[in-house]
Amino acid sequence: MTGMDNRSSYLGVSLLIESSLSKFLSALLDIPDSENSISFGNKSSALSFRAKVNLLLDMKIFNKEDNWKLEKFMEIRNQFMHNFEASSYGKCFSFLSGAKEKVLKEYPQDQNLPREDQLKQASQKLASETLGIVQKVFSAVLGRKVIEATQITLSKIAKASHKV
C-alpha cells in the first residue's frame, strides 16, 4: 500500500497517545475496566481520539502553544489515517492549509535536506512533543487531584476536631 512507511511511525505514536488518554481518562473518571468500557474500549462505541483530547481541552490545562501542537498533530494524524492520497509527508501537508509553513517554522530543518525529509523530521518532532505534552498533562491533573483531595481531607479533619 502506498505510503505505509510514512504513515506507520506517525500512527504508532498516535496509538500510544490514544491508548494513554483512554487509560488516564478512565482512571480519572473512576472507570475500573477501561478496555471493556463503552467510552474508552476498542469498540465502535468508544469516544474518538478527538473527543478524548477535547475532554482534556475542556479541563483548561493546556497553554496556547500546547493546544496548537495537539491540533497540528491531530490534523496530520487524521490525514494519514483517513486520506488515501496522503501517502507522503508532502502530500499529507498539501491537504492542510498553511500547516507546512507553521510546522517548519516551529521545527526548523536543514534547508539542504529534501522537502519530504524536512517535513518528516519536523512532524516526528511534533509527535514526540505531543507525547510529552500528554504526559505533562497527566502529571498536572494528578497533582491537582492530590491537592484537592488533601484540602477536602484537611477540611473534614478540622470540622471533626471542632466537634470533639
Side-chain angles (χ1 to χ4, degrees), residues 8-46:
S8 64
S9 65
Y10 208 82
L11 294 176
V13 172
S14 176
L15 286 170
L16 178 61
I17 291 171
E18 186 167 8
S19 175
S20 298
L21 286 173
S22 292
K23 287 180 178 23
F24 175 75
L25 290 168
S26 293
L28 192 63
L29 297 170
D30 201 24
I31 298 170
D33 185 7
S34 65
E35 292 177 13
N36 293 308
S37 160
I38 294 168
S39 298
F40 299 107
N42 294 313
K43 297 197 168 62
S44 62
S45 62

mmCIF file of all heavy atoms in Angstrom, residues 8-46:
data_model
loop_
_atom_site.group_PDB
_atom_site.id
_atom_site.type_symbol
_atom_site.label_atom_id
_atom_site.label_comp_id
_atom_site.label_asym_id
_atom_site.label_seq_id
_atom_site.Cartn_x
_atom_site.Cartn_y
_atom_site.Cartn_z
ATOM 1 N N SER A 8 3.203 4.711 9.149
ATOM 2 C CA SER A 8 3.238 3.781 10.279
ATOM 3 C C SER A 8 3.864 4.365 11.542
ATOM 4 O O SER A 8 3.320 4.187 12.630
ATOM 5 C CB SER A 8 3.931 2.485 9.885
ATOM 6 O OG SER A 8 5.275 2.716 9.561
ATOM 7 N N SER A 9 4.974 5.058 11.441
ATOM 8 C CA SER A 9 5.590 5.571 12.667
ATOM 9 C C SER A 9 4.730 6.669 13.294
ATOM 10 O O SER A 9 4.583 6.737 14.513
ATOM 11 C CB SER A 9 7.005 6.084 12.409
ATOM 12 O OG SER A 9 6.985 7.197 11.551
ATOM 13 N N TYR A 10 4.137 7.499 12.446
ATOM 14 C CA TYR A 10 3.291 8.575 12.970
ATOM 15 C C TYR A 10 2.041 8.002 13.624
ATOM 16 O O TYR A 10 1.644 8.413 14.710
ATOM 17 C CB TYR A 10 2.914 9.540 11.841
ATOM 18 C CG TYR A 10 2.659 10.937 12.344
ATOM 19 C CD1 TYR A 10 3.720 11.799 12.581
ATOM 20 C CD2 TYR A 10 1.379 11.380 12.604
ATOM 21 C CE1 TYR A 10 3.505 13.076 13.058
ATOM 22 C CE2 TYR A 10 1.154 12.660 13.084
ATOM 23 C CZ TYR A 10 2.220 13.505 13.306
ATOM 24 O OH TYR A 10 1.997 14.772 13.789
ATOM 25 N N LEU A 11 1.442 7.025 12.965
ATOM 26 C CA LEU A 11 0.241 6.407 13.523
ATOM 27 C C LEU A 11 0.567 5.583 14.758
ATOM 28 O O LEU A 11 -0.262 5.456 15.667
ATOM 29 C CB LEU A 11 -0.474 5.571 12.461
ATOM 30 C CG LEU A 11 -1.046 6.392 11.300
ATOM 31 C CD1 LEU A 11 -1.648 5.472 10.248
ATOM 32 C CD2 LEU A 11 -2.071 7.396 11.781
ATOM 33 N N GLY A 12 1.778 5.038 14.838
ATOM 34 C CA GLY A 12 2.198 4.317 16.036
ATOM 35 C C GLY A 12 2.208 5.221 17.257
ATOM 36 O O GLY A 12 1.720 4.845 18.332
ATOM 37 N N VAL A 13 2.748 6.429 17.100
ATOM 38 C CA VAL A 13 2.745 7.390 18.203
ATOM 39 C C VAL A 13 1.309 7.776 18.541
ATOM 40 O O VAL A 13 0.937 7.894 19.713
ATOM 41 C CB VAL A 13 3.580 8.644 17.856
ATOM 42 C CG1 VAL A 13 3.427 9.722 18.923
ATOM 43 C CG2 VAL A 13 5.034 8.287 17.682
ATOM 44 N N SER A 14 0.488 7.927 17.524
ATOM 45 C CA SER A 14 -0.915 8.268 17.733
ATOM 46 C C SER A 14 -1.626 7.192 18.554
ATOM 47 O O SER A 14 -2.391 7.502 19.482
ATOM 48 C CB SER A 14 -1.615 8.450 16.381
ATOM 49 O OG SER A 14 -2.983 8.695 16.565
ATOM 50 N N LEU A 15 -1.367 5.941 18.234
ATOM 51 C CA LEU A 15 -1.978 4.843 19.004
ATOM 52 C C LEU A 15 -1.520 4.862 20.454
ATOM 53 O O LEU A 15 -2.323 4.627 21.372
ATOM 54 C CB LEU A 15 -1.638 3.495 18.359
ATOM 55 C CG LEU A 15 -2.370 3.180 17.064
ATOM 56 C CD1 LEU A 15 -1.759 1.946 16.396
ATOM 57 C CD2 LEU A 15 -3.855 2.961 17.325
ATOM 58 N N LEU A 16 -0.246 5.127 20.665
ATOM 59 C CA LEU A 16 0.283 5.200 22.025
ATOM 60 C C LEU A 16 -0.385 6.331 22.801
ATOM 61 O O LEU A 16 -0.806 6.149 23.950
ATOM 62 C CB LEU A 16 1.802 5.412 21.979
ATOM 63 C CG LEU A 16 2.513 5.566 23.313
ATOM 64 C CD1 LEU A 16 2.335 4.326 24.180
ATOM 65 C CD2 LEU A 16 3.997 5.841 23.087
ATOM 66 N N ILE A 17 -0.524 7.483 22.181
ATOM 67 C CA ILE A 17 -1.162 8.626 22.838
ATOM 68 C C ILE A 17 -2.626 8.322 23.123
ATOM 69 O O ILE A 17 -3.113 8.559 24.232
ATOM 70 C CB ILE A 17 -1.012 9.907 21.995
ATOM 71 C CG1 ILE A 17 0.445 10.361 21.984
ATOM 72 C CG2 ILE A 17 -1.927 11.024 22.514
ATOM 73 C CD1 ILE A 17 0.745 11.494 21.020
ATOM 74 N N GLU A 18 -3.329 7.770 22.138
ATOM 75 C CA GLU A 18 -4.750 7.494 22.339
ATOM 76 C C GLU A 18 -4.969 6.450 23.429
ATOM 77 O O GLU A 18 -5.861 6.581 24.266
ATOM 78 C CB GLU A 18 -5.426 7.058 21.041
ATOM 79 C CG GLU A 18 -6.926 6.910 21.218
ATOM 80 C CD GLU A 18 -7.696 6.793 19.925
ATOM 81 O OE1 GLU A 18 -7.080 6.674 18.854
ATOM 82 O OE2 GLU A 18 -8.942 6.810 20.002
ATOM 83 N N SER A 19 -4.152 5.420 23.452
ATOM 84 C CA SER A 19 -4.257 4.413 24.498
ATOM 85 C C SER A 19 -3.995 5.034 25.871
ATOM 86 O O SER A 19 -4.719 4.755 26.844
ATOM 87 C CB SER A 19 -3.256 3.281 24.222
ATOM 88 O OG SER A 19 -3.248 2.363 25.275
ATOM 89 N N SER A 20 -2.991 5.880 25.951
ATOM 90 C CA SER A 20 -2.681 6.562 27.209
ATOM 91 C C SER A 20 -3.838 7.453 27.647
ATOM 92 O O SER A 20 -4.193 7.494 28.830
ATOM 93 C CB SER A 20 -1.417 7.409 27.058
ATOM 94 O OG SER A 20 -0.321 6.602 26.756
ATOM 95 N N LEU A 21 -4.419 8.171 26.682
ATOM 96 C CA LEU A 21 -5.569 9.025 27.001
ATOM 97 C C LEU A 21 -6.723 8.202 27.557
ATOM 98 O O LEU A 21 -7.367 8.587 28.538
ATOM 99 C CB LEU A 21 -6.040 9.783 25.758
ATOM 100 C CG LEU A 21 -5.192 10.935 25.264
ATOM 101 C CD1 LEU A 21 -5.711 11.452 23.928
ATOM 102 C CD2 LEU A 21 -5.152 12.048 26.288
ATOM 103 N N SER A 22 -7.001 7.077 26.931
ATOM 104 C CA SER A 22 -8.099 6.223 27.383
ATOM 105 C C SER A 22 -7.874 5.737 28.806
ATOM 106 O O SER A 22 -8.770 5.803 29.653
ATOM 107 C CB SER A 22 -8.263 5.015 26.450
ATOM 108 O OG SER A 22 -8.713 5.433 25.194
ATOM 109 N N LYS A 23 -6.685 5.246 29.081
ATOM 110 C CA LYS A 23 -6.378 4.745 30.423
ATOM 111 C C LYS A 23 -6.417 5.869 31.460
ATOM 112 O O LYS A 23 -6.964 5.716 32.551
ATOM 113 C CB LYS A 23 -5.030 4.041 30.418
ATOM 114 C CG LYS A 23 -5.070 2.696 29.719
ATOM 115 C CD LYS A 23 -3.718 2.020 29.721
ATOM 116 C CE LYS A 23 -3.666 0.665 29.094
ATOM 117 N NZ LYS A 23 -4.633 0.262 28.149
ATOM 118 N N PHE A 24 -5.851 7.020 31.112
ATOM 119 C CA PHE A 24 -5.828 8.141 32.040
ATOM 120 C C PHE A 24 -7.235 8.648 32.335
ATOM 121 O O PHE A 24 -7.606 8.832 33.500
ATOM 122 C CB PHE A 24 -4.967 9.273 31.480
ATOM 123 C CG PHE A 24 -4.986 10.501 32.334
ATOM 124 C CD1 PHE A 24 -4.275 10.536 33.516
ATOM 125 C CD2 PHE A 24 -5.720 11.610 31.960
ATOM 126 C CE1 PHE A 24 -4.292 11.668 34.326
ATOM 127 C CE2 PHE A 24 -5.743 12.737 32.762
ATOM 128 C CZ PHE A 24 -5.028 12.773 33.941
ATOM 129 N N LEU A 25 -8.009 8.894 31.279
ATOM 130 C CA LEU A 25 -9.363 9.413 31.479
ATOM 131 C C LEU A 25 -10.240 8.407 32.218
ATOM 132 O O LEU A 25 -11.056 8.785 33.055
ATOM 133 C CB LEU A 25 -9.983 9.813 30.135
ATOM 134 C CG LEU A 25 -9.356 11.047 29.483
ATOM 135 C CD1 LEU A 25 -9.825 11.194 28.039
ATOM 136 C CD2 LEU A 25 -9.654 12.312 30.284
ATOM 137 N N SER A 26 -10.059 7.126 31.943
ATOM 138 C CA SER A 26 -10.808 6.091 32.665
ATOM 139 C C SER A 26 -10.484 6.133 34.152
ATOM 140 O O SER A 26 -11.379 6.051 34.994
ATOM 141 C CB SER A 26 -10.473 4.698 32.120
ATOM 142 O OG SER A 26 -10.945 4.549 30.823
ATOM 143 N N ALA A 27 -9.209 6.253 34.461
ATOM 144 C CA ALA A 27 -8.799 6.316 35.870
ATOM 145 C C ALA A 27 -9.351 7.580 36.528
ATOM 146 O O ALA A 27 -9.867 7.531 37.652
ATOM 147 C CB ALA A 27 -7.280 6.275 35.976
ATOM 148 N N LEU A 28 -9.272 8.695 35.821
ATOM 149 C CA LEU A 28 -9.754 9.968 36.349
ATOM 150 C C LEU A 28 -11.262 9.916 36.624
ATOM 151 O O LEU A 28 -11.748 10.479 37.599
ATOM 152 C CB LEU A 28 -9.437 11.088 35.353
ATOM 153 C CG LEU A 28 -9.607 12.516 35.817
ATOM 154 C CD1 LEU A 28 -8.650 12.830 36.966
ATOM 155 C CD2 LEU A 28 -9.354 13.471 34.659
ATOM 156 N N LEU A 29 -11.977 9.213 35.766
ATOM 157 C CA LEU A 29 -13.437 9.099 35.901
ATOM 158 C C LEU A 29 -13.863 7.878 36.704
ATOM 159 O O LEU A 29 -15.046 7.569 36.789
ATOM 160 C CB LEU A 29 -14.076 9.067 34.502
ATOM 161 C CG LEU A 29 -13.865 10.331 33.677
ATOM 162 C CD1 LEU A 29 -14.308 10.124 32.238
ATOM 163 C CD2 LEU A 29 -14.596 11.516 34.308
ATOM 164 N N ASP A 30 -12.892 7.185 37.273
ATOM 165 C CA ASP A 30 -13.144 6.006 38.107
ATOM 166 C C ASP A 30 -13.884 4.899 37.346
ATOM 167 O O ASP A 30 -14.810 4.281 37.849
ATOM 168 C CB ASP A 30 -13.909 6.400 39.374
ATOM 169 C CG ASP A 30 -13.757 5.367 40.475
ATOM 170 O OD1 ASP A 30 -12.754 4.616 40.452
ATOM 171 O OD2 ASP A 30 -14.632 5.297 41.354
ATOM 172 N N ILE A 31 -13.442 4.673 36.113
ATOM 173 C CA ILE A 31 -13.969 3.569 35.295
ATOM 174 C C ILE A 31 -12.971 2.427 35.449
ATOM 175 O O ILE A 31 -11.850 2.514 34.958
ATOM 176 C CB ILE A 31 -14.132 3.999 33.822
ATOM 177 C CG1 ILE A 31 -15.148 5.139 33.729
ATOM 178 C CG2 ILE A 31 -14.537 2.813 32.957
ATOM 179 C CD1 ILE A 31 -15.217 5.806 32.372
ATOM 180 N N PRO A 32 -13.380 1.361 36.143
ATOM 181 C CA PRO A 32 -12.410 0.324 36.530
ATOM 182 C C PRO A 32 -11.831 -0.506 35.385
ATOM 183 O O PRO A 32 -10.704 -0.954 35.470
ATOM 184 C CB PRO A 32 -13.200 -0.558 37.490
ATOM 185 C CG PRO A 32 -14.631 -0.309 37.176
ATOM 186 C CD PRO A 32 -14.711 1.091 36.632
ATOM 187 N N ASP A 33 -12.570 -0.712 34.327
ATOM 188 C CA ASP A 33 -12.111 -1.596 33.252
ATOM 189 C C ASP A 33 -12.146 -0.838 31.936
ATOM 190 O O ASP A 33 -13.067 -0.993 31.138
ATOM 191 C CB ASP A 33 -13.005 -2.845 33.202
ATOM 192 C CG ASP A 33 -12.530 -3.870 32.197
ATOM 193 O OD1 ASP A 33 -11.438 -3.697 31.615
ATOM 194 O OD2 ASP A 33 -13.264 -4.856 31.987
ATOM 195 N N SER A 34 -11.105 -0.027 31.697
ATOM 196 C CA SER A 34 -11.111 0.838 30.511
ATOM 197 C C SER A 34 -11.158 0.045 29.213
ATOM 198 O O SER A 34 -11.759 0.486 28.235
ATOM 199 C CB SER A 34 -9.891 1.759 30.519
ATOM 200 O OG SER A 34 -8.698 1.017 30.403
ATOM 201 N N GLU A 35 -10.544 -1.119 29.191
ATOM 202 C CA GLU A 35 -10.504 -1.904 27.951
ATOM 203 C C GLU A 35 -11.877 -2.402 27.528
ATOM 204 O O GLU A 35 -12.126 -2.626 26.344
ATOM 205 C CB GLU A 35 -9.529 -3.060 28.095
ATOM 206 C CG GLU A 35 -8.092 -2.576 28.182
ATOM 207 C CD GLU A 35 -7.095 -3.703 28.390
ATOM 208 O OE1 GLU A 35 -7.461 -4.878 28.228
ATOM 209 O OE2 GLU A 35 -5.936 -3.386 28.724
ATOM 210 N N ASN A 36 -12.783 -2.576 28.479
ATOM 211 C CA ASN A 36 -14.138 -3.022 28.161
ATOM 212 C C ASN A 36 -15.169 -1.917 28.351
ATOM 213 O O ASN A 36 -16.370 -2.169 28.314
ATOM 214 C CB ASN A 36 -14.502 -4.245 29.011
ATOM 215 C CG ASN A 36 -13.656 -5.443 28.622
ATOM 216 O OD1 ASN A 36 -13.573 -5.792 27.452
ATOM 217 N ND2 ASN A 36 -13.000 -6.049 29.591
ATOM 218 N N SER A 37 -14.691 -0.707 28.532
ATOM 219 C CA SER A 37 -15.562 0.443 28.721
ATOM 220 C C SER A 37 -16.255 0.812 27.408
ATOM 221 O O SER A 37 -15.676 0.686 26.325
ATOM 222 C CB SER A 37 -14.710 1.622 29.205
ATOM 223 O OG SER A 37 -15.345 2.842 28.980
ATOM 224 N N ILE A 38 -17.475 1.283 27.513
ATOM 225 C CA ILE A 38 -18.217 1.746 26.335
ATOM 226 C C ILE A 38 -17.513 2.963 25.733
ATOM 227 O O ILE A 38 -17.357 3.079 24.525
ATOM 228 C CB ILE A 38 -19.675 2.105 26.712
ATOM 229 C CG1 ILE A 38 -20.423 0.843 27.136
ATOM 230 C CG2 ILE A 38 -20.385 2.794 25.544
ATOM 231 C CD1 ILE A 38 -21.759 1.115 27.804
ATOM 232 N N SER A 39 -17.043 3.851 26.586
ATOM 233 C CA SER A 39 -16.442 5.099 26.123
ATOM 234 C C SER A 39 -14.972 4.989 25.759
ATOM 235 O O SER A 39 -14.491 5.724 24.910
ATOM 236 C CB SER A 39 -16.592 6.184 27.195
ATOM 237 O OG SER A 39 -17.951 6.439 27.436
ATOM 238 N N PHE A 40 -14.243 4.095 26.429
ATOM 239 C CA PHE A 40 -12.793 4.064 26.256
ATOM 240 C C PHE A 40 -12.252 2.733 25.743
ATOM 241 O O PHE A 40 -11.045 2.578 25.601
ATOM 242 C CB PHE A 40 -12.103 4.433 27.576
ATOM 243 C CG PHE A 40 -12.454 5.812 28.033
ATOM 244 C CD1 PHE A 40 -13.303 6.010 29.103
ATOM 245 C CD2 PHE A 40 -11.965 6.924 27.368
ATOM 246 C CE1 PHE A 40 -13.641 7.284 29.518
ATOM 247 C CE2 PHE A 40 -12.298 8.206 27.769
ATOM 248 C CZ PHE A 40 -13.136 8.386 28.850
ATOM 249 N N GLY A 41 -13.126 1.788 25.451
ATOM 250 C CA GLY A 41 -12.689 0.492 24.947
ATOM 251 C C GLY A 41 -12.317 0.548 23.469
ATOM 252 O O GLY A 41 -12.102 1.618 22.899
ATOM 253 N N ASN A 42 -12.279 -0.607 22.854
ATOM 254 C CA ASN A 42 -11.860 -0.704 21.452
ATOM 255 C C ASN A 42 -13.003 -1.010 20.495
ATOM 256 O O ASN A 42 -12.773 -1.477 19.389
ATOM 257 C CB ASN A 42 -10.774 -1.783 21.321
ATOM 258 C CG ASN A 42 -9.517 -1.380 22.041
ATOM 259 O OD1 ASN A 42 -9.051 -0.260 21.901
ATOM 260 N ND2 ASN A 42 -8.971 -2.292 22.826
ATOM 261 N N LYS A 43 -14.207 -0.726 20.902
ATOM 262 C CA LYS A 43 -15.370 -0.960 20.037
ATOM 263 C C LYS A 43 -15.769 0.341 19.339
ATOM 264 O O LYS A 43 -15.308 1.426 19.690
ATOM 265 C CB LYS A 43 -16.513 -1.513 20.874
ATOM 266 C CG LYS A 43 -16.172 -2.863 21.490
ATOM 267 C CD LYS A 43 -17.406 -3.579 21.947
ATOM 268 C CE LYS A 43 -17.146 -5.003 22.289
ATOM 269 N NZ LYS A 43 -16.269 -5.326 23.327
ATOM 270 N N SER A 44 -16.636 0.224 18.374
ATOM 271 C CA SER A 44 -17.043 1.404 17.606
ATOM 272 C C SER A 44 -17.787 2.429 18.458
ATOM 273 O O SER A 44 -17.906 3.580 18.083
ATOM 274 C CB SER A 44 -17.904 0.989 16.415
ATOM 275 O OG SER A 44 -19.086 0.350 16.866
ATOM 276 N N SER A 45 -18.276 2.023 19.624
ATOM 277 C CA SER A 45 -18.998 2.940 20.507
ATOM 278 C C SER A 45 -18.060 3.874 21.273
ATOM 279 O O SER A 45 -18.498 4.867 21.858
ATOM 280 C CB SER A 45 -19.828 2.143 21.518
ATOM 281 O OG SER A 45 -18.970 1.357 22.340
ATOM 282 N N ALA A 46 -16.772 3.566 21.269
ATOM 283 C CA ALA A 46 -15.809 4.342 22.063
ATOM 284 C C ALA A 46 -15.688 5.772 21.545
ATOM 285 O O ALA A 46 -15.912 6.051 20.366
ATOM 286 C CB ALA A 46 -14.448 3.661 22.038
#
